[in-house]
Amino acid sequence: GGKSFAIISDSYLNFNSRLGYHFGMLDAYISEERNDNYITFQFKGGAATLERRERRARLLQRLLTDLGFKAQAIGDLVRGRLVKYPAAASEKILEGVGRLLAFARQLDLALASDGILDRVYQAFQEEDYSLSFLD
């Protein structure tokens, strides 16, 4: 693994996570001033083949888009940005993105084919973060 770092205040979060070969980043500012609010997300890396990492990036892009983000996947890098949401909605979305960041680390082995993408997508939507359908 590697070191993870977080800077946290009442309205700001910057979290950089390194676990094995995965790198994840969350940066968020949430206040009552809606126009100042944003959440950015970035995820890259992993020990799996490039094909599997690219599948994960496409899945994360889809999940981020569902959360309201403008998201893009380039190779195995996925980036997302959400801006100008009210504070309560932004906080709820940030919580979901935190779960997504943890969930993303499990995906390298699970995404063996394009056919499984929809099932993993559905598992996240159903809060099956352990991917129990793989058992």
Side-chain angles (χ1 to χ4, degrees):
K3 292 184 179 181
S4 295
F5 298 94
I7 300 171
I8 303 169
S9 75
D10 61 338
S11 56
Y12 180 72
L13 165 73
N14 182 281
F15 177 62
N16 289 276
S17 172
R18 174 94 179 172
L19 182 64
Y21 296 101
H22 299 104
F23 175 76
M25 187 274 300
L26 280 175
D27 190 63
Y29 181 82
I30 300 173
S31 71
E32 293 305 315
E33 180 54 50
R34 178 183 182 153
N35 288 333
D36 292 341
N37 294 344
Y38 71 87
I39 303 171
T40 60
F41 174 94
Q42 186 170 314
F43 195 91
K44 182 172 177 55
T49 65
L50 180 59
E51 181 181 33
R52 287 183 187 216
R53 295 190 325 260
E54 288 175 343
R55 271 190 206 109
R56 181 192 56 225
R58 291 193 315 268
L59 176 66
L60 292 177
Q61 177 186 15
R62 183 176 171 191
L63 290 166
L64 287 169
T65 299
D66 285 353
L67 289 170
F69 281 74
K70 289 184 179 178
Q72 69 181 102
I74 303 168
D76 73 336
L77 170 64
V78 61
R79 291 183 181 145
R81 183 162 174 84
L82 179 119
V83 296
K84 298 184 180 183
Y85 273 62
S90 294
E91 288 171 358
K92 184 174 181 172
I93 292 167
L94 183 59
E95 185 178 321
V97 173
R99 283 192 298 275
L100 185 59
L101 184 60
F103 184 71
R105 293 186 178 124
Q106 305 177 59
L107 298 178
D108 287 351
L109 297 176
L111 296 174
S113 69
D114 285 339
I116 202 163
L117 279 174
D118 287 336
R119 185 60 190 105
V120 173
Y121 170 84
Q122 182 181 356
F124 185 83
Q125 297 296 0
E126 295 171 355
E127 300 181 3
D128 177 12
Y129 306 122
S130 67
L131 301 175
S132 63
F133 72 92
L134 293 174
D135 295 338

